[in-house]
Amino acid sequence: MGKGCQVSRLCILFTVIALISVATIVTLWTIALIGSNDGSQDLAPWDSFRLPTTLLPHHYEITLWPHLSQDSNGLYIFTGNSTVEFECVTETDLILIHSNKLNYTVLDNAHVGRLTASGDGTVLSIKSSWLRPKTQYLVIQLNSKLSRGHKYQLYTEFTGELADDLAGFYRSEYEEDGVRKIVATSQMHPTYARKTFPCFDEPAMKAVFYVTLIHPPGTVALSNGNETEVVNTTINGVAVTRTTFEPTKTMSTYLLAIIVCDYTHLMAEQGNILIRIWARRTAIEQGQGDYALNVTGPILDFFQSYYNISYPLSKSDQIALPDFYFGAMENWGLVTYRETNLLYDPVTSSIKNKETTATIIAHELAHMWFGNLVTLRWWNEVWLNEGFASYVSYLGADKAEPAWSVKDLIVLDDIHKVFAVDALASSHPLSSKEDSIVLPEQIVEQFDVISYSKGAAVLRMLSDFLSESVFVQGLGKYLRLFAYSNTVGNDLWHQLQMAAEANDVLIPHTVADIMNRWVLQMGFPVVTIDTSTGKVSQKHFRLDPESNVTLESPYNYEWLIPVRWMKTAQVQRDVWWLMQKEAVNLEMRTSGSWVLANINVTGYYRVNYDLGNWERLLSQLNTEHRLIPVINRAQLVDDAFNLARAQLVSTTLALRTTSYLFMETEYIPWQSALDNLHYYYLMLDRSDVYQPMQDYMRKLVTPLFVHFRNVTSNWAVVPDKLTDQYNQVNAVRMACSTGLAECRTLTTTQFKQWMDNPQHNPILPNLRTAVYCSAVAAGDEAEWQFGWSQFKNATVASEASKLLSALACTSNATLLQTYLSYTLDPAMIRKQDATAVITSVAANRAGQSLAWDFVRTNWKYMFTQYGVGSFSFASMISGVTARFSTAAELQQLEEFEKVHGATGFGSATLAVQQALERTKANEKWLQQNKQELLDWFSSHAGK
């Protein structure tokens, strides 16, 4: 059965739809609701946010027609029909199927759905049907029960709005050659498929999807599978193209993708896989898709080898969208991206843009197996999906660009970053109980830095102590065993345990025992080594030692900790395991030499030492720092600063770890120091400590600035190494922001040259972010307005992004206020970029209070009118409150929580709690440390 029937219904449907206005459909549906409600929606089944397990979908036949021009009501709509075939697993007279913001056509049976028995086509009698908006269901009650083991088909016709809300089937707009164009595109993840068609919208409810798209002639239709038929036809006198796609593999609803656009593409083949990069025509013509095309094949090859499983599909489409909420989305066979993440312009894009493109492509393609082929049963374990893809994205990018040594960057970009959040009492475990994550906003909240970055960190640690070869062996077995089905995390631990046993890997407990301690309790330990006695201990690390941890741990906040360590430049061969609160390792006892633990930060923990060992490590840094591995130089800085915040070492000791930096030219230690000193800037840039700190930092960064000026022949040549290119940017950014005259002359001169000749930008792509910000900060309205005009005219997304952040660097309050107001007008700032603008303004010390006032004033409007697909509310709250450190600011935050409690905070609920906790800790830290910092910076500023 299937597609033949689908096509014949299609012609009837769209003839009917052409004759029935949206208003009529809405009216009919309203009548149907009023007539069939019976008050029965107060009963339990449809008030549960989880689907019952009585029905299991097998396949969907979906036809959608996005209308790319406004209707008589000024709306963009899509019309469609769907047939879902499902099996009855348990006898029931109730069908619950997800539906959100869809209007249904009343069919000839006087209901909004027609139910037939598969095989003989017997029509089943429907008693009543209604929508339950709270739980997002279409509810259908039957006059008789469905039979266990039998299959049925539910047919519906519906209309939805093709809104610009970046969720479900939505509208993206752009201008090309003076013509406004519309893309109909989709974001089903995590719970938005139900906004596009009625479906069993849970990850375990896998099915096959048969998709047909109706679209204007001359446009392209894309979906997960290859196009099997493209036919030009007419429906009620309207010329259309009908594109039919091959059926998908068995997959979850959130992975479905449907797009209609006026795009073109690049194409290549990797073995028997068709690879296509889709983008705006001008972007493809300018070569912005070339790099993505070049790296996709090698990355696919790497993962086929890594998993030891062939790519499951016949094609790999990747498409760059002008409006997209997430960075990218791993739809199976049709991956969607923000333009900045897929497109790379060889003339204007920076090396950071290039690295981002490679790592994000690797992240998304990793999901084609881990996540898509094998899917976690429920969203409470989303960390395993996202953490895994985050970890192996570095491996995939390393394969595509081996000269970059990109694997080391995970320490800065993920581990150090997530330590800051996971050290809060308001953090949360990687995995939660399944029944604690049920609401759509709770599901969205799971996609945070804990899931992505801590997930990546603990999986990297697991791969390290098992060895990569054993990790990969167990992983491959897991994927083959559970292909096209769903799992829980323990299924992976079991396969890895069997691989460990098969390879005689010696670990002190089972994989599950070890990993559950890292997964089921929040936070991480600090390992303290006393080199005078050899005593090693562990303790739950908290930035604020007086914070009250109310979340109970099943393991009493103790971990099984793999320790890789070295003694005076000699790495010890074996991993040593700390398995209790305290233990003794006599080999770590020393008086004259230094001990360094957590080599290359393969373990997810911090390390503290007795004062004598700290002094020996500091002495080593100041004499021959290269004897300490580069990642561990960064680790010493990061650990010391955070241990000081937790009152485990002195603030002075933390500051002393930066003194050696005048000799350091490597990126990773420098970036670690700048990340930690950023906290000091946030706390102190409105105080009398600010200027001495600026003077110290200028003294520290000047040798680095001179170094890069010399090795680049006065900024004319790009350094070879990826990390050198990154550190060159740090040198310019910090030298300018701390007031080094030579740097400011460099940036203002280059920006002025560009203003004098807008058609020729003389600024090297790598340096543009730093130069733009410095010049806009030093300038006034003329520089800002020039930057704004360049932003509005930018044809390369990465260039637009650089200008977007630079415009927030001005110290002119009126311009910052204007810029903030633009975030409420999508014609000025795209909805997807609004959060970035607000947080960028807040990052500017001249704009912090303006941004906070703006968010408070407009919260209800943004939250209710713009919706989850427009603002990243969690990152916005974190951004505008980052400087909070006074009693007055704490009171404002508490009032904000109280005033908007009724409106709600959605996915930012946890972020508000974390902001409150951070503000209290910041206030206390400032009181305890301000005078000591003033004294230290004043005495070390020098000339």
Side-chain angles (χ1 to χ4, degrees):
M1 126 134 237
K3 287 190 284 185
C5 180
Q6 176 190 21
V7 171
S8 62
R9 282 203 308 266
L10 167 74
C11 299
I12 298 167
L13 165 67
F14 286 112
T15 304
V16 170
I17 285 176
L19 299 172
I20 303 176
S21 72
V22 180
T24 309
I25 294 171
V26 174
T27 305
L28 289 170
W29 178 227
T30 305
I31 293 167
L33 288 182
I34 294 168
S36 65
N37 209 333
D38 297 334
S40 53
Q41 73 268 40
D42 295 328
L43 298 175
W46 41 85
D47 285 331
S48 167
F49 281 88
R50 291 295 304 273
L51 286 168
T53 55
T54 50
L55 307 175
L56 190 66
H58 279 208
H59 71 260
Y60 297 83
E61 296 175 16
I62 308 157
T63 299
L64 294 169
W65 185 358
H67 299 266
L68 304 187
S69 55
Q70 291 171 307
D71 67 5
S72 56
N73 297 314
L75 295 175
Y76 292 87
I77 64 163
F78 64 89
T79 48
N81 73 339
S82 169
T83 298
V84 54
E85 181 173 270
F86 56 84
E87 180 181 344
C88 177
V89 180
T90 307
E91 264 197 4
T92 182
D93 60 0
L94 182 70
I95 297 172
L96 292 182
I97 188 166
H98 281 114
S99 177
N100 185 29
K101 298 185 179 179
L102 292 174
N103 297 309
Y104 289 84
T105 304
V106 176
L107 304 176
D108 52 14
N109 62 353
H111 290 284
V112 297
R114 183 186 301 114
L115 187 66
T116 55
S118 297
D120 63 9
T122 303
V123 177
L124 281 80
S125 173
I126 294 174
K127 180 180 178 183
S128 60
S129 56
W130 69 93
L131 286 172
R132 185 65 168 149
K134 179 186 173 186
T135 44
Q136 302 182 350
Y137 289 136
L138 168 59
V139 186
I140 297 176
Q141 278 194 322
L142 307 173
N143 283 309
S144 59
K145 290 195 172 184
L146 302 177
S147 301
R148 183 172 176 271
H150 288 226
K151 292 178 185 173
Y152 302 89
Q153 294 189 343
L154 176 66
Y155 172 75
T156 54
E157 298 174 6
F158 46 86
T159 303
E161 185 184 354
L162 198 66
D164 61 350
D165 57 0
L166 285 70
F169 200 21
Y170 72 92
R171 181 178 88 253
S172 175
E173 299 181 13
Y174 65 100
E175 195 172 287
E176 193 167 59
D177 300 327
V179 178
R180 186 167 147 277
K181 296 186 176 180
I182 291 175
V183 179
T185 185
S186 63
Q187 173 59 31
M188 306 302 189
H189 184 273
T191 60
Y192 302 128
R194 64 192 68 171
K195 192 169 167 280
T196 308
F197 63 104
C199 55
F200 298 93
D201 199 11
E202 294 189 357
M205 296 285 192
K206 288 190 167 185
V208 173
F209 297 81
Y210 295 85
V211 175
T212 298
L213 291 175
I214 310 296
H215 52 106
T219 57
V220 175
L222 299 170
S223 190
N224 304 73
N226 267 318
E227 309 83 35
T228 56
E229 185 181 53
V230 181
V231 177
N232 291 316
T233 184
T234 58
I235 297 176
N236 201 37
V238 178
V240 295
T241 300
R242 184 175 67 235
T243 301
T244 307
F245 301 89
E246 66 183 353
T248 68
K249 302 288 187 182
T250 302
M251 68 181 200
S252 305
T253 47
Y254 78 82
L255 294 172
L256 185 67
I258 42 176
I259 298 175
V260 171
C261 59
D262 179 35
Y263 275 15
T264 189
H265 68 279
L266 299 168
M267 186 170 62
E269 289 191 358
Q270 190 80 7
N272 59 354
I273 307 166
L274 174 66
I275 297 170
R276 297 185 297 192
I277 307 296
W278 296 86
R280 294 175 288 110
R281 293 176 181 274
T282 51
I284 293 294
E285 288 163 6
Q286 291 169 5
Q288 295 179 37
D290 294 359
Y291 180 68
L293 187 70
N294 291 339
V295 295
T296 295
I299 291 172
L300 279 173
D301 269 357
F302 167 76
F303 283 125
Q304 290 187 106
S305 170
Y306 184 76
Y307 296 123
N308 195 22
I309 298 172
S310 296
Y311 178 68
L313 309 178
S314 58
K315 60 103 170 173
S316 173
D317 276 335
Q318 298 178 93
I319 187 166
L321 297 168
D323 301 283
F324 193 65
Y325 177 54
F326 295 97
M329 177 58 211
E330 68 268 18
N331 313 302
W332 216 1
L334 177 52
V335 184
T336 45
Y337 295 82
R338 277 195 183 203
E339 287 192 342
T340 47
N341 292 336
L342 184 65
L343 302 181
Y344 171 80
D345 183 78
V347 177
T348 63
S349 298
S350 67
I351 188 67
K352 181 63 179 173
N353 298 134
K354 198 173 193 178
E355 188 231 309
T356 297
T357 295
T359 49
I360 290 186
I361 287 175
H363 180 109
E364 303 311 323
L365 295 183
H367 277 311
M368 300 299 112
W369 291 262
F370 200 103
N372 297 8
L373 180 66
V374 177
T375 310
L376 275 304
R377 185 172 71 196
W378 186 245
W379 303 109
N380 63 310
E381 291 190 303
V382 74
W383 79 268
L384 194 52
N385 194 13
E386 295 301 346
F388 180 85
S390 296
Y391 166 49
V392 300
S393 69
Y394 290 95
L395 309 186
D398 186 61
K399 187 69 175 180
E401 296 283 3
W404 285 354
S405 301
V406 73
K407 285 193 282 191
D408 293 347
L409 297 181
I410 191 174
V411 175
L412 286 174
D413 295 346
D414 286 289
I415 300 173
H416 285 180
K417 182 173 73 174
V418 74
F419 271 159
V421 175
D422 208 19
L424 299 174
S426 54
S427 185
H428 62 89
L430 279 169
S431 188
S432 319
K433 287 189 169 62
E434 199 169 314
D435 59 7
S436 70
I437 311 294
V438 293
L439 303 175
E441 55 265 35
Q442 289 174 329
I443 293 168
V444 171
E445 208 169 25
Q446 297 306 297
F447 294 86
D448 65 357
V449 68
I450 297 288
S451 291
Y452 283 78
S453 297
K454 181 178 180 176
V458 299
L459 289 169
R460 175 173 173 262
M461 177 173 68
L462 171 61
S463 177
D464 180 70
F465 70 70
L466 288 180
S467 81
E468 188 177 8
S469 60
V470 172
F471 181 78
V472 166
Q473 183 181 323
L475 177 65
K477 180 78 182 301
Y478 163 83
L479 292 171
R480 285 187 290 276
L481 190 62
F482 294 104
Y484 304 106
S485 63
N486 295 79
T487 62
V488 294
N490 279 334
D491 294 325
L492 178 59
W493 305 153
H494 180 63
Q495 295 306 317
L496 290 170
Q497 179 65 32
M498 291 201 296
E501 291 169 3
N503 290 276
D504 299 323
V505 174
L506 294 175
I507 49 177
H509 287 263
T510 65
V511 170
D513 282 345
I514 295 168
M515 294 308 294
N516 281 342
R517 283 164 170 78
W518 298 96
V519 169
L520 299 179
Q521 54 185 355
M522 72 175 189
F524 57 90
V526 52
V527 172
T528 301
I529 299 170
D530 187 336
T531 60
S532 64
T533 62
K535 189 178 95 169
V536 187
S537 60
Q538 62 165 294
K539 186 180 181 183
H540 180 200
F541 179 80
R542 299 195 304 283
L543 271 181
D544 179 0
E546 295 173 21
S547 61
N548 184 23
V549 177
T550 56
L551 188 65
E552 288 188 15
S553 157
Y555 302 101
N556 199 30
Y557 290 105
E558 290 182 38
W559 290 264
L560 299 172
I561 306 171
V563 181
R564 291 196 181 277
W565 63 288
M566 67 193 298
K567 185 187 278 191
T568 312
Q570 293 297 313
V571 178
Q572 308 302 299
R573 190 168 57 87
D574 296 324
V575 174
W576 181 77
W577 287 85
L578 177 60
M579 294 181 287
Q580 302 90 27
K581 281 270 191 189
E582 290 185 6
V584 174
N585 182 338
L586 292 176
E587 292 180 22
M588 290 183 180
R589 192 171 58 180
T590 178
S591 57
S593 53
W594 50 264
V595 166
L596 181 67
N598 202 10
I599 303 305
N600 291 328
V601 193
T602 52
Y604 185 68
Y605 54 90
R606 294 198 180 282
V607 186
N608 193 10
Y609 305 96
D610 60 287
L611 193 55
N613 196 63
W614 271 114
E615 290 294 344
R616 291 188 291 274
L617 286 166
L618 288 170
S619 175
Q620 185 66 66
L621 283 175
N622 284 303
T623 51
E624 181 43 78
H625 60 273
R626 290 180 184 83
L627 285 181
I628 296 175
V630 64
I631 291 176
N632 290 98
R633 303 203 294 271
Q635 173 215 16
L636 286 171
V637 174
D638 194 64
D639 279 355
F641 271 87
N642 286 277
L643 292 167
R645 283 179 64 184
Q647 300 171 33
L648 296 174
V649 302
S650 70
T651 300
T652 300
L653 187 146
L655 287 165
R656 286 171 61 202
T657 65
T658 67
S659 299
Y660 96 98
L661 286 172
F662 75 92
M663 302 180 294
E664 179 69 87
T665 58
E666 287 289 346
Y667 166 70
I668 293 178
W670 258 106
Q671 188 61 48
S672 178
L674 294 177
D675 287 343
N676 282 286
L677 287 163
H678 177 65
Y679 176 73
Y680 282 28
Y681 273 106
L682 288 174
M683 294 300 99
L684 301 163
D685 67 6
R686 296 172 291 174
S687 77
D688 54 354
V689 185
Y690 177 62
Q691 196 53 53
M693 182 165 67
Q694 282 281 76
D695 294 340
Y696 172 71
M697 288 304 297
R698 185 169 60 253
K699 183 180 83 168
L700 209 59
V701 80
T702 298
L704 190 70
F705 181 84
V706 171
H707 166 77
F708 279 110
R709 182 192 66 196
N710 293 340
V711 300
T712 62
S713 302
N714 205 20
W715 316 105
V717 179
V718 177
D720 291 332
K721 231 166 63 169
L722 174 84
T723 50
D724 283 348
Q725 293 182 53
Y726 285 176
N727 216 24
Q728 179 194 20
V729 176
N730 278 337
V732 173
R733 181 172 62 86
M734 286 308 297
C736 281
S737 67
T738 55
L740 184 66
E742 183 185 344
C743 184
R744 288 192 169 174
T745 300
L746 171 74
T747 58
T748 53
T749 301
Q750 289 193 349
F751 198 80
K752 180 71 166 57
Q753 288 172 347
W754 186 27
M755 289 176 70
D756 290 342
N757 184 7
Q759 303 310 312
H760 175 69
N761 188 338
I763 306 161
L764 290 173
N766 285 354
L767 298 179
R768 287 184 181 182
T769 299
V771 171
Y772 293 173
C773 182
S774 175
V776 169
D780 204 355
E781 188 161 1
E783 286 77 8
W784 196 91
Q785 292 294 353
F786 175 77
W788 175 254
S789 68
Q790 290 299 313
F791 164 71
K792 293 303 283 182
N793 294 326
T795 58
V796 179
S798 59
E799 178 70 4
S801 180
K802 293 179 182 68
L803 289 158
L804 200 72
S805 61
L807 289 166
C809 296
T810 181
S811 55
N812 183 318
T814 304
L815 290 171
L816 290 173
Q817 198 75 59
T818 301
Y819 198 31
L820 287 168
S821 71
Y822 288 173
T823 63
L824 299 180
D825 182 356
M828 304 296 276
I829 301 287
R830 288 185 183 274
K831 286 185 177 185
Q832 66 175 15
D833 297 321
T835 306
V837 169
I838 294 166
T839 53
S840 294
V841 171
N844 178 349
R845 70 189 187 117
Q848 193 275 321
S849 61
L850 297 175
W852 171 231
D853 290 345
F854 179 80
V855 168
R856 283 190 293 173
T857 303
N858 294 287
W859 178 262
K860 186 173 182 180
Y861 178 82
M862 291 188 292
F863 192 75
T864 57
Q865 298 300 312
Y866 272 49
V868 294
S870 307
F871 281 82
S872 175
F873 292 107
S875 65
M876 188 163 70
I877 292 294
S878 301
V880 297
T881 62
R883 272 190 183 79
F884 281 14
S885 56
T886 67
E889 287 165 336
L890 178 62
Q891 185 181 350
Q892 287 178 1
L893 191 53
E894 288 170 339
E895 285 174 2
F896 174 74
E897 182 187 36
K898 186 178 177 183
V899 167
H900 296 291
T903 304
F905 299 99
S907 61
T909 303
L910 183 59
V912 172
Q913 297 309 308
Q914 289 172 341
L916 286 163
E917 183 186 346
R918 261 196 300 261
T919 303
K920 292 170 188 172
N922 291 345
E923 183 184 5
K924 195 188 310 178
W925 182 87
L926 207 52
Q927 289 170 351
Q928 292 169 345
N929 292 284
K930 184 180 173 186
Q931 188 59 48
E932 183 181 359
L933 289 164
L934 179 61
D935 294 343
W936 195 90
F937 281 123
S938 297
S939 63
H940 287 79
K943 289 296 177 189

